[in-house]
Amino acid sequence: QKEVEQDPGPLSVPEGAIVSLNCTYSNSAFQYFMWYRQYSRKGPELLMYTYSSGNKEDGRFTAQVDKSSKYISLFIRDSQPSDSATYLCAGGAGGYNKLIFGAGTRLAVHP
Amino acid sequence: EAGVTQFPSHSVIEKGQTVTLRCDPISGHDNLYWYRRVMGKEIKFLLHFVKESKQDESGMPNNRFLAERTGGTYSTLKVQPAELEDSGVYFCASTQTGGSTEAFFGQGTRLTVV
């Protein structure tokens, strides 16, 4: 079983839609969770990270963690064509430990 | 401030040849990580340097891979001899404070072994 499971998509939505991206994880040692955005031929770019269960909001993005069900989500409001990218979730056990990534979900927002 | 820089951006080599990838972390970042993404798979950890010391190399696939970070600045990852399954995108990341939650990634080196 993979430590982080993520549906690879692709996910195609119209501009302005609310996007929901999800991951599940199995490693109970994870202390924090990250969402990265990766454009084609570029490196992962950190969007958000969160340590605890609950919601964290940053502009149009909301990260949600439910540790009891080992479920993490990223919501994108008012999606834009520029949001078209691959979104990666990752978990970490704390400190400077390695990150464990999901496979990434490819998102396409069409005008 | 310059970000994490990787060289080359793309390398095509024949099976059996040697390739060396380079990563220049953000200046002052003591922690440097190598990750790899092979086709259709998730990004996977290879190893972690703290300055010039290998902190965790549990993700290195086999002894054909050699990573160095002399002087605690830039790092190199050598693959010798390269095999077809080594093809993928190799990412480098660095962080100074805040642990892995503030890791900045380079653009990656796309390695193709033919």
Side-chain angles (χ1 to χ4, degrees):
Chain A
Q1 181 187 11
K2 292 181 180 179
E3 290 185 84
V4 179
E5 297 274 5
Q6 183 176 13
D7 186 339
L11 182 62
S12 181
V13 301
E15 183 176 356
I18 296 175
V19 176
S20 173
L21 303 166
N22 308 294
C23 293
T24 58
Y25 66 94
S26 59
N27 191 336
S28 298
F30 284 164
Q31 296 183 19
Y32 54 81
F33 306 88
M34 331 276 285
W35 283 98
Y36 285 86
R37 176 175 61 195
Q38 186 178 16
Y39 292 113
S40 180
R41 305 282 175 163
K42 299 291 186 182
E45 171 195 9
L46 179 64
L47 278 176
M48 299 179 71
Y49 68 86
T50 181
Y51 283 94
S52 57
S53 285
N55 294 351
K56 181 177 182 180
E57 190 174 315
D58 184 1
R60 296 186 295 112
F61 299 89
T62 299
Q64 190 174 79
V65 175
D66 182 346
K67 287 191 171 181
S68 63
S69 59
K70 294 187 172 65
Y71 196 85
I72 58 177
S73 301
L74 178 71
F75 298 96
I76 307 174
R77 291 183 297 281
D78 187 25
S79 56
Q80 303 296 310
S82 59
D83 294 329
S84 298
T86 296
Y87 289 80
L88 304 156
C89 62
Y96 295 88
N97 284 308
K98 61 190 176 187
L99 296 175
I100 308 297
F101 284 87
T105 299
R106 189 186 303 176
L107 171 68
V109 181
H110 51 86
Chain B
E1 179 183 340
V4 177
T5 309
Q6 294 185 244
F7 304 96
S9 58
H10 192 190
S11 179
V12 181
I13 62 170
E14 293 185 352
K15 176 182 173 181
Q17 288 186 323
T18 298
V19 64
T20 300
L21 314 180
R22 172 169 169 150
C23 169
D24 285 68
I26 293 173
S27 178
H29 281 197
D30 291 339
N31 294 276
L32 186 150
Y33 306 80
W34 283 98
Y35 289 85
R36 176 176 75 168
R37 184 169 193 162
V38 297
M39 182 69 74
K41 301 287 187 180
E42 63 275 13
I43 296 174
K44 285 195 171 179
F45 168 82
L46 295 178
L47 88 159
H48 170 206
F49 281 102
V50 178
K51 296 184 180 179
E52 67 275 12
S53 299
K54 293 176 184 175
Q55 183 75 15
D56 180 0
E57 52 184 328
S58 61
M60 294 289 265
N62 50 61
N63 58 11
R64 295 186 294 104
F65 289 75
L66 176 64
E68 294 181 325
R69 193 182 181 197
T70 306
T73 55
Y74 70 90
S75 174
T76 58
L77 180 64
K78 181 189 291 187
V79 185
Q80 179 182 29
E83 298 289 346
L84 298 179
E85 64 264 26
D86 300 333
S87 296
V89 183
Y90 290 76
F91 293 104
C92 175
S94 73
T95 179
Q96 176 59 9
T97 59
S100 294
T101 57
E102 294 183 13
F104 295 90
F105 280 77
Q107 82 283 8
T109 293
R110 184 173 297 273
L111 174 63
T112 303
V113 183
V114 297

